[in-house]
């Protein structure tokens, strides 16, 4: 929500007036010097929207503020009013409305266009977040990253490495949205003050690593790639079991952690709906974008959201540090998911991260059933994975 600075206003006053943490207001207005607020400057108040209200004959500003549980000055600053008696029946007044519920839809299949719209909405409602494009997919779709917080601890999470696991993007975005609502409402998450998490931890999220693959599963092949994709899929127009990117490369078999072993033993030796590790490691733009993101940042831990199995993997070839086991036990406790240290698998994102950086990495297998998991499971999954999300930030 946008307001204009009046003479004598300060960020601290806005924080008290709208009951939003001061640091969120400062971070929402990075280009404005808080010690030199000039009259008329546009300021963003995070976690609010302005809602039109038609003034009734019997209305006064005091009556409206009492009915809507709003400060009179909050209404005046939003409408640039000089006089509280400046209320004219029939005219439109704008009222500040706090956002108290998250806006991620949990009812519709979650493709890249919906994700893009929701990221844009989050940036508008919560301008203290940072949104960047870390790369593009084979078809030129943006692979976007969201950053929240400014702490020394750095945590990365991602979803939808695999196309038919698009429900993971919906879950991760829902968790992020709950976090943002909690921040601007000064509320707690599972007994934790969310603003403390914001100040202590910087969270990086890539909610959809494989946008082309997700859209293929949900919408069928794009016009320009139709024949190539149908050939990879052996002529079938059914893509519900497709895991790969649009070129038929499994992005979670693309990383240089014993990639040669996976190349040798994986059955597909050419592009396929799943399991083909590519002609070389990091051959695909989506995998390279993720590798570059990790190389350019000093993340303390990473979590990759997959489905299904209600378990998670936390080791790789003995490269994992002692901290990994501590985190794994806590994740197991708060979620009920089974912690598994090692599996006979290589070339995954988590494998490569642990091997290269000797830091905690986790592959979370959410839910149980046949991919893609039905949306009927989403609320149960959210309840169980929320504890992992929070523990990864505060521990």
């Amino acid at each position: 929500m946008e307001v204009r600075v009046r003479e004598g206003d300060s960020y601290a006053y806005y924080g008290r007036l709208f009951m939003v943490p001061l640091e969120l207001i400062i971070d929402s207005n990075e280009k404005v010097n808080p010690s030199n607020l000039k009259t008329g400057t546009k300021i963003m108040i995070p976690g609010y929207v302005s809602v039109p209200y038609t003034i009734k004959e019997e209305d006064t500003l005091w009556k409206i503020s009492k009915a809507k549980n709003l400060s009179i000055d909050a209404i005046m600053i939003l409408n640039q009013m000089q006089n509280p008696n400046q209320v004219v029946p029939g005219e439109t007044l704008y009222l500040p409305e706090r956002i108290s519920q998250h806006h991620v839809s949990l009812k519709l299949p979650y493709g890249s266009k919906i994700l893009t719209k929701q990221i844009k909405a989050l940036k508008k409602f919560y301008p203290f977040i940072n949104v960047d494009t870390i790369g593009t997919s084979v078809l030129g779709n943006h692979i976007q990253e969201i950053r929240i917080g400014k702490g020394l601890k750095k945590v990365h999470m991602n979803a939808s490495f695999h196309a038919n696991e698009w429900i993971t993007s919906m879950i991760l975005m829902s968790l992020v949205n709950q976090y943002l609502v909690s921040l601007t409402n000064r509320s707690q998450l599972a007994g934790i003050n969310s603003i403390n998490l914001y100040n202590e931890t910087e969270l990086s999220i890539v909610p959809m690593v494989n946008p082309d693959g997700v859209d293929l599963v949900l919408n069928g092949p794009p016009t320009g790639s139709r024949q190539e994709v149908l050939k990879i899929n052996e002529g079938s127009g059914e893509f519900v079991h497709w895991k790969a990117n649009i070129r038929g490369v499994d992005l979670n078999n693309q990383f240089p952690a014993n990639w040669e072993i996976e190349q040798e033993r994986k059955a597909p030796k050419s592009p396929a709906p799943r399991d083909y590790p590519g002609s070389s490691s990091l051959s695909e733009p989506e995998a390279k974008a993720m590798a570059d993101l990790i190389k350019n940042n000093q993340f303390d831990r990473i979590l990759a959201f997959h489905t299904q199995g209600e378990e998670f993997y936390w080791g790789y070839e003995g490269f994992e540090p002692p901290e990994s086991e501590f985190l794994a036990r806590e994740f197991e406790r708060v979620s009920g998911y089974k912690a598994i240290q090692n599996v006979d698998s290589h070339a995954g994102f988590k494998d490569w991260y642990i091997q290269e950086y000797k830091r905690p990495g986790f592959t979370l297998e959410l839910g149980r059933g046949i991919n893609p998991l039905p949306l009927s499971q989403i609320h149960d999954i959210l309840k169980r994975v929320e504890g992992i999300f929070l523990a990864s930030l505060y521990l």
Side-chain angles (χ1 to χ4, degrees), residues 28-180:
S28 294
N29 299 278
E30 290 183 335
K31 295 181 180 180
V32 181
N33 184 350
S35 62
N36 186 28
L37 290 183
K38 296 181 180 179
T39 302
T41 302
K42 295 179 181 179
I43 296 295
M44 298 303 298
I45 306 297
Y48 274 84
V49 292
S50 60
V51 178
Y53 173 81
T54 302
I55 300 171
K56 299 180 178 63
E57 190 68 38
E58 67 277 9
D59 276 341
T60 64
L61 203 58
W62 180 85
K63 188 174 181 180
I64 295 170
S65 68
K66 184 177 181 182
K68 301 294 184 180
N69 194 28
L70 295 168
S71 160
I72 288 179
D73 203 32
I75 301 174
M76 290 183 65
I77 191 174
L78 178 59
N79 292 274
Q80 300 183 59
M81 297 172 64
Q82 303 296 323
N83 185 344
N85 297 318
Q86 185 183 336
V87 176
V88 179
E91 290 192 354
T92 299
L93 194 67
Y94 288 89
L95 303 180
E97 183 175 292
R98 183 187 289 275
I99 299 170
S100 58
Q101 296 180 334
H102 68 80
H103 292 268
V104 174
S105 171
L106 302 178
K107 297 179 180 179
L108 297 173
Y110 203 81
S112 68
K113 289 184 179 179
I114 292 179
L115 172 66
T116 298
K117 288 180 180 178
Q118 293 195 336
I119 290 177
K120 185 177 181 180
L122 289 185
K123 180 61 178 175
K124 178 182 177 181
F125 299 147
Y126 307 100
F128 55 84
I129 71 174
N130 292 306
V131 178
D132 291 306
T133 297
I134 64 166
T136 54
S137 67
V138 171
L139 295 181
N141 284 311
H142 288 180
I143 301 171
Q144 293 186 288
E145 180 204 25
I146 303 169
R147 293 270 180 138
I148 308 170
K150 54 186 182 181
L152 296 178
K153 186 192 307 174
K154 297 183 184 296
V155 177
H156 169 75
M157 302 180 189
N158 61 64
S160 288
F161 255 95
H162 288 145
N164 65 351
E165 298 176 7
W166 51 262
I167 195 173
T168 58
S169 295
M170 185 184 293
I171 289 164
L172 184 51
M173 285 295 288
S174 183
L175 291 168
V176 166
N177 209 164
Q178 289 176 25
Y179 181 32
L180 294 173

Side-chain angles (χ1 to χ4, degrees), residues 191-244:
I192 301 169
N193 288 324
S194 54
I195 195 62
N196 292 341
L197 298 179
Y198 181 87
N199 288 322
E200 295 168 3
T201 304
E202 181 182 54
L203 174 60
S204 157
I205 307 107
V206 177
M208 190 173 288
V209 177
N210 185 7
D212 298 352
V214 168
D215 289 345
L216 174 64
V217 170
L218 295 177
N219 307 318
T223 302
S225 305
R226 181 174 178 80
Q227 295 306 316
E228 296 92 330
V229 172
L230 287 173
K231 183 179 179 181
I232 294 171
N233 208 35
E234 298 181 344
S236 172
E238 175 58 70
F239 295 93
V240 68
H241 300 301
W242 187 286
K243 295 177 67 175

